[in-house]
Amino acid sequence: MSKSIATAVAHPNIAFIKYWGNRDDALRIPMNASLSMNLAALSTTTSVEFRCDLQQDDLLIDGQSAAPAALQRVSAFLDIVREQMPEKQHAIIISRNNFPMGAGIASSASAFAALAAAASHAAGLDLDEAALSRLARRGSGSACRSIPAGFVEWLPGREDESSYAVSFAPAGHWNLVDLIAVVNRTHKEVGSTAGHALAATSPLQSARVSDCPRRLALCRQAILEKDFVAFAAIVELDSDMMHAVMQTSTPPLLYWEAATLELMQKVRSWRSQGLPVCYTIDAGPNVHVLCQQQDATQVEELLEQITAAQAVYRSDTGSGVQLV
């Protein structure tokens, strides 16, 4: 029985300049570039075993058989890998996360980054970082940013070959910490893939996209210069702009909950009192509270005093995807 197996670990990422809306939905070519950092404390570990005796793919996530829709999405992704295999085989995929899935903490990013690395290696493909990033993007757009290490820019491109992510600063460049205040662990009703398809229905999306190069340049400069004041201003603006697009789409998407708004207001209040801190929110209700290492313990203690926060995850900047 011929078989090949590989295991990879990837981290989710938090976007400072957001990805929302595609130029090409099938290839997940984004409307705009984006910036992010990988989250060292959160991870997805995925094993892929191609076997000639399987009639279909089998997917286990956190010890449970995956829902049909999840299996279908993973199988479609593996079909891209199988196109490059001399002998097309189905696979057993076993994936584990150390954080809640589907709650706006970029679980699909780490999932498809780890899957891309494990599947391509198990299939005997020798992909460089750009090619692996492009492959991960086909499963989940933001997954391409979880391939390189540290602080990452997704070059949007206009076709498959030119749309991939690169590292512009190593993980140790700046001591940023992400404190994720979880206010709801349940799966969001409308996933990001469906949300991206609605972006163009918002009258605000074209303004968000056209202004993106300016915001991206300011954010990249703030990171390279370790200027937290400038960083906080542009990160919150970009997050608010993305959610404004979501809330004005047809149908509208409102990911925020009362607890989300409470945390946003708390963060702004702390900053007005002199604490260097800011928020950003992905497609979900949970709030990413960003600060520097020297302030992280104080910010974490403040967050843990807020009853709306069910849990607080703390993470430094992380590495890229790795085979294990």
Side-chain angles (χ1 to χ4, degrees):
M1 183 195 310
S2 65
K3 61 181 182 180
S4 300
I5 186 168
T7 301
V9 177
H11 305 284
N13 62 76
I14 178 60
F16 306 136
I17 301 297
K18 303 292 192 187
Y19 152 54
W20 195 251
N22 289 319
R23 190 181 303 280
D24 183 318
D25 284 328
L27 292 175
R28 301 181 194 268
I29 308 295
M31 289 296 297
N32 61 273
S34 54
L35 296 182
S36 63
M37 81 174 191
N38 292 337
L39 300 176
L42 309 183
S43 63
T44 300
T45 303
T46 299
S47 297
V48 176
E49 181 181 9
F50 287 107
R51 295 174 44 150
C52 62
D53 62 333
L54 296 176
Q55 300 303 308
Q56 63 181 33
D57 297 319
D58 186 22
L59 173 62
L60 289 175
I61 301 176
D62 294 332
Q64 303 291 322
S65 291
L71 175 59
Q72 183 179 16
R73 184 175 177 182
V74 166
S75 290
F77 178 81
L78 289 180
D79 285 343
I80 301 169
V81 176
R82 280 188 276 260
E83 288 173 5
Q84 304 174 65
M85 295 174 66
E87 182 186 356
K88 295 176 174 55
Q89 298 177 353
H90 289 99
I92 296 173
I93 308 101
I94 300 173
S95 188
R96 289 193 175 277
N97 304 282
N98 69 351
F99 63 99
M101 288 178 57
I105 313 181
S107 56
S108 65
S110 55
F112 279 96
L115 180 61
S120 61
H121 192 72
L125 307 181
D126 185 19
L127 303 183
D128 62 19
E129 185 176 271
L132 193 56
S133 178
R134 286 171 42 230
L135 175 61
R137 188 201 74 232
R138 299 287 298 276
S140 171
S142 57
C144 77
R145 295 191 308 242
S146 286
I147 299 296
F151 295 90
V152 173
E153 178 174 355
W154 180 2
L155 309 172
R158 287 192 169 261
E159 74 292 309
D160 179 52
E161 286 291 326
S162 58
S163 186
Y164 58 92
V166 296
S167 173
F168 69 92
H173 165 72
W174 193 16
N175 61 355
L176 279 185
V177 174
D178 184 9
L179 294 154
I180 308 165
V182 176
V183 301
N184 192 331
R185 294 176 180 270
T186 59
H187 269 262
K188 54 199 178 192
E189 290 183 16
V190 180
S192 297
T193 297
H196 287 298
L198 299 176
T201 67
S202 167
L204 304 183
Q205 172 72 341
S206 59
R208 189 193 75 86
V209 171
S210 64
D211 184 60
C212 184
R214 181 191 70 89
R215 299 194 308 279
L216 189 132
L218 288 171
C219 188
R220 189 198 296 111
Q221 181 179 5
I223 291 169
L224 292 175
E225 296 179 355
K226 305 176 190 175
D227 182 344
F228 192 86
V229 173
F231 174 78
I234 204 66
V235 165
E236 286 192 5
L237 172 65
D238 192 86
S239 177
D240 291 349
M241 289 178 75
M242 182 182 74
H243 283 272
V245 168
M246 294 170 171
Q247 291 166 22
T248 53
S249 296
T250 304
L253 298 175
L254 182 60
Y255 287 113
W256 294 348
E257 299 179 6
T260 311
L261 285 164
E262 179 185 351
L263 282 159
M264 292 163 69
Q265 291 171 329
K266 289 285 189 184
V267 168
R268 289 189 168 181
S269 173
W270 298 335
R271 190 167 64 246
S272 72
Q273 295 165 27
L275 183 60
V277 63
C278 67
Y279 67 76
T280 187
I281 304 164
D282 278 346
N286 301 315
V287 182
H288 294 254
V289 180
L290 302 163
C291 62
Q292 296 169 95
Q293 188 77 47
Q294 60 268 29
D295 302 307
T297 298
Q298 181 184 357
V299 174
E300 187 172 18
E301 289 172 353
L302 287 168
L303 288 171
E304 287 175 343
Q305 292 169 15
I306 298 173
T307 55
Q310 298 177 7
V312 178
Y313 291 86
R314 176 173 172 167
S315 182
D316 299 328
T317 312
S319 62
V321 69
Q322 294 178 319
L323 289 163
V324 296

